């Protein structure tokens, strides 16, 4: 069986899967001739795509790295030649290494690679007929990606004898001088970003051992130190004489690409482990076609930053061809990879899930903030005691205070239900939220900015509670990564809320039910190009909260428990642009359990009602995943179903705030809140709310006041549009037969 597997593997490499068109689409051709050279070998970009570098040879034995600036990142049509003074001459001192002394002019520049910081450049020099050596040159740059500042650092001779696995030269010797056979000369180079791995490919040009084209892996015990470079036993044996040239990795190191001169195609390998040839699998090959539909011999190879464009040079010409890819770092149909391999892409998908949950949370909070304010100031809202007072200084009559106040609650302060329904309270809340979700292993940082306005009205209920309706309009803006990706959303929510006493006047059950609408503009920026889409969504959600109150002097302690639930359906959408995806409907569930301790301190004066308050809350987010289903528009052969994990199981929220009620019946509260998701990120929230009780509302109240001499006063008061209509009856309880005083007064204070 193992023998059969080996035969199949050899056949795959001898007759590779071909995909002449597949996911590769011609875009443009540009001719690089400004520097006077006649050949393009290496090809690479700087970190932001504003520069392209090529290795050229003038045919006179001099090789250079030439620099071009791009006014539009990765658009080679916008190039401008930096000039001869900005080149790097690929030359080593004759005495740098005895193996290469005096041979520089006989060698030919092959390929190049930069360190991730742009301060180290590695190039290959390959032996030609009459040449004896292959080697890697290291140059240091004093300014990142400025090749004019290059200086020779060191050289590493590549032992060709060790690469041929005991093969002999045509003359039967083993010295493998390659003068006659021109075997196994070095061409392409690729590096691991941290400088601990170097990959080289070798070209068997002719001879009896032509099945020796290969990609070799080297380990550097010290990063970028060529003297510590050792050959690994793992290699990709290509088993075909196709003359490999340029080589490049995907950003995550799990795909390797190789350009063939003779084969006129690009090979794609998948690597189970990043930057390791162990277990490498050939996905297939694709043949790029020029504008006339013809294939051509390939030289250098490279990609743009996000892997949505492929660049190859035509061997022994001055042309570079640009191709669009259906999906990042893939040239084979059916081999697209998940968007989770791109941190900005993943961040945008997560941002949409977080938006749905955040909208439910913030909308619920606006209603809860209102209910909490009502309870903190219930003495000003006629919600419990109904302005009924029993006050006696006489020790005997003071015992009347023992009569349960609840018995008086049955006496409505309103004449009938119809009148009670007129007693509406109007309020509004403005909120500002700033948050950040940090980098993860798969997603970029997200900066969150949410602004909202909430308008509501509520009224007293017959069970001495409160119910109301609120409308919230919010704008949610999320910046993903640093390239310009953005999620801009408008949210619309309508909520019914209520609060009812349980058993006594301190325990309450709060209920919230809401529906919402989401409208989002999605912009994914990849290599300076925007992929745009619109998305809508619908929400339904609710909250149950039980709380109690314990008073200690001017302090009130309020423990509470809360359960949140919700369901959001985000509708499918289709992006426009290179590498675009089509997304299916997405379902997002919300389930939270909260335990909270709040404290209220009464600091009221004769003129103002002033209270400050705070809370500490633990939140367990029970449902933190959602499936993101999509296909690439340019290659719909594979459907993806990525499970996105957002938020954190454990969360801690803190809050401080202040309430102010003015004599004119206006009220205001201000709340600052910090939400911290352990291991994920945080959100800072600021709420400012205004309330108003209309003057046309009327209130009834009566009081019975006693004195030490058993004088009593019975009073009924009605307020009409700011005027106090009062009926007073004063009586001496020691003389039951005679009324001392009765009066009717109408007053208004200006």
């Amino acid at each position: 069986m193992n023998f059969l597997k080996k035969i199949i593997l050899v056949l795959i490499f001898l007759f590779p899967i071909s995909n002449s068109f597949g996911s590769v689409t011609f875009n443009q051709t540009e001719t690089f001739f400004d520097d006077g050279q006649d050949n393009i070998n290496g090809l690479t970009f700087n970190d932001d795509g504003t520069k392209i570098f090529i290795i050229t040879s003038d045919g006179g034995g001099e090789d250079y790295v030439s620099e071009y600036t791009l006014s539009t990142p990765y658009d080679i049509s916008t190039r401008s030649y930096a000039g001869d003074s900005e080149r790097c001459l690929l030359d080593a001192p004759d005495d740098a290494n005895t193996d290469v002394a005096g041979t520089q002019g006989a060698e030919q520049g092959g390929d190049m690679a930069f360190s991730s910081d742009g301060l180290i450049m590695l190039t290959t020099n390959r032996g030609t007929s009459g040449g004896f050596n292959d080697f890697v040159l290291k140059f240091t740059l004093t300014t990142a990606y400025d090749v004019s500042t290059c200086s020779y650092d060191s050289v590493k001779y590549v032992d060709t004898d060790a690469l041929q696995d005991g093969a002999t030269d045509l003359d039967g010797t083993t010295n493998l001088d390659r003068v006659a056979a021109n075997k196994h000369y070095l061409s392409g180079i690729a590096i691991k970003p941290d400088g601990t791995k170097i990959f080289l490919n070798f070209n068997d040009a002719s001879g009896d051992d032509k099945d020796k084209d290969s990609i070799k892996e080297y380990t550097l015990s010290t990063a970028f130190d060529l003297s510590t470079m050792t050959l690994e036993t793992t290699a990709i044996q290509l088993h075909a004489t196709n003359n490999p040239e340029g080589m490049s990795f995907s950003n995550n190191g799990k795909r390797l690409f190789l350009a063939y001169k003779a084969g006129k195609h690009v090979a794609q390998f998948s690597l189970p482990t990043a930057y390791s040839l162990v277990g490498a699998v050939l996905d297939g090959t694709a043949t790029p076609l020029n504008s006339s539909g013809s294939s051509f011999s390939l030289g250098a190879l490279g990609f743009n930053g996000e892997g949505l464009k492929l660049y190859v040079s035509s061997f022994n010409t001055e042309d570079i061809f640009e191709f669009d890819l259906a999906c990042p770092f893939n040239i084979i149909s059916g081999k697209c990879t998940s968007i989770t391999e791109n941190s900005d892409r993943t961040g945008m998908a997560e941002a949409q899930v977080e938006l749905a949950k955040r909208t439910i949370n913030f909308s619920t909070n606006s209603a809860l903030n209102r209910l909490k304010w009502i309870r903190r100031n219930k003495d000003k809202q006629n919600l419990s005691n109904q302005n009924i007072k029993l006050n006696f200084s006489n020790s005997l009559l003071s015992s009347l205070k023992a009569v349960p106040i609840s018995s008086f609650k049955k006496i409505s302060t309103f004449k009938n239900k119809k009148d009670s329904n007129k007693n509406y309270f109007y309020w509004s809340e403005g909120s500002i939220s700033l948050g950040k979700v940090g980098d993860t292993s798969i997603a970029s940082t997200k900066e969150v900015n949410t602004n909202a306005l909430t308008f509501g009205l509520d009224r007293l209920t017959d069970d001495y509670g409160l119910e109301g309706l609120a409308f919230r309009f919010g704008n949610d803006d999320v910046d993903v990564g640093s390239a310009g990706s953005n999620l801009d959303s408008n949210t619309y929510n309508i909520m019914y809320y209520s609060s009812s006493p349980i058993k006594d006047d301190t325990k309450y059950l709060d209920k919230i039910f809401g529906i919402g609408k989401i409208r989002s503009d999605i912009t994914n920026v990849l290599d300076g190009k925007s992929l745009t889409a619109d998305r809508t969504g619908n929400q339904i959600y609710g909250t149950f909260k039980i709380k109690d109150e314990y008073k200690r002097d001017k302090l009130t302690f309020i423990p509470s428990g809360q359960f949140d639930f919700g369901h959001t359906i985000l509708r499918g959408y289709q992006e426009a642009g290179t590498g675009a995806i089509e997304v299916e409907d997405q379902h997002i569930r919300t389930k939270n359990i909260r335990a909270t301790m709040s404290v209220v301190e009464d600091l009221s004066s004769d003129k103002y009602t002033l209270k400050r308050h705070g809370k500490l809350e633990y939140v367990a987010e029970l449902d933190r995943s959602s499936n993101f289903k999509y296909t690439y528009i340019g290659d719909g052969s594979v459907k993806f179903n990525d499970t996105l994990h957002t938020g954190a199981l454990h969360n801690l929220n803190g809050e401080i705030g202040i309430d102010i009620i003015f004599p004119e019946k206006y009220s205001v509260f201000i709340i600052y809140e910090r939400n911290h998701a352990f291991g994920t990120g945080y959100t800072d929230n600021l709420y400012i709310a205004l309330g108003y009780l209309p003057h046309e509302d009327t209130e009834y109240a009566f009081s019975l006041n006693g004195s030490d001499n058993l004088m009593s006063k019975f009073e009924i008061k009605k307020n009409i549009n700011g005027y106090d209509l009062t009926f007073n009856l004063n009586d001496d309880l020691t003389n039951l037969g005679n009324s001392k005083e009765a009066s009717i007064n109408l007053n208004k204070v200006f």
Side-chain angles (χ1 to χ4, degrees), residues 370 426-430 454 456 662 666-669 688-692:
R370 171 62 179 174
Y426 304 94
W427 61 278
S428 62
E429 177 189 272
T454 305
F662 299 94
Y666 290 98
S667 64
V668 61
F669 75 72
I688 301 176
L690 297 175
Y692 175 60

Side-chain angles (χ1 to χ4, degrees), residues 595-745:
T596 308
M597 175 58 73
S598 301
V599 181
V600 180
E601 183 181 14
D602 193 345
L603 301 174
S604 301
S605 65
D606 293 338
K607 190 173 184 180
Y608 298 96
T609 298
L610 182 65
K611 296 183 179 182
R612 62 184 178 186
H613 45 87
K615 80 170 185 181
L616 188 63
E617 179 179 63
Y618 169 78
V619 184
E621 188 176 350
L622 304 181
D623 203 326
R624 302 179 305 282
S625 63
S626 177
N627 288 347
F628 192 74
K629 301 177 181 179
Y630 61 96
T631 58
Y632 285 94
I633 295 175
D635 184 0
S637 58
V638 179
K639 291 187 176 182
F640 294 88
N641 187 357
D642 295 335
T643 300
L644 302 176
H645 299 279
T646 59
L649 174 60
H650 303 293
N651 305 265
L652 192 63
N653 302 332
E655 174 187 296
I656 57 174
I658 188 168
D659 298 346
I660 304 174
I661 300 177
F662 299 94
E664 294 82 7
K665 297 186 179 182
Y666 290 98
S667 64
V668 61
F669 75 72
I670 302 172
I671 296 175
Y672 166 74
E673 184 181 42
R674 162 62 70 97
N675 308 134
H676 185 81
F678 288 95
T680 302
Y682 66 88
T683 304
D684 291 315
N685 308 310
L686 179 65
Y687 302 93
I688 301 176
L690 297 175
Y692 175 60
L693 179 64
H695 280 281
E696 62 265 26
D697 287 345
T698 61
E699 300 177 13
Y700 291 87
F702 73 86
S703 61
L704 183 63
N705 300 304
S707 64
D708 290 336
N709 59 5
L710 298 184
M711 291 293 293
S712 64
K713 178 181 179 182
F714 179 77
E715 180 180 273
I716 299 177
K717 180 187 294 185
K718 181 179 182 180
N719 181 275
I720 305 175
N721 292 330
Y723 292 88
D724 290 331
L725 180 63
T726 307
F727 170 75
N728 293 304
L729 177 64
N730 299 316
D731 198 4
D732 184 353
L733 296 182
T734 61
N735 186 358
L736 300 179
N738 298 312
S739 176
K740 301 299 183 182
E741 182 180 354
S743 64
I744 298 177
N745 299 305

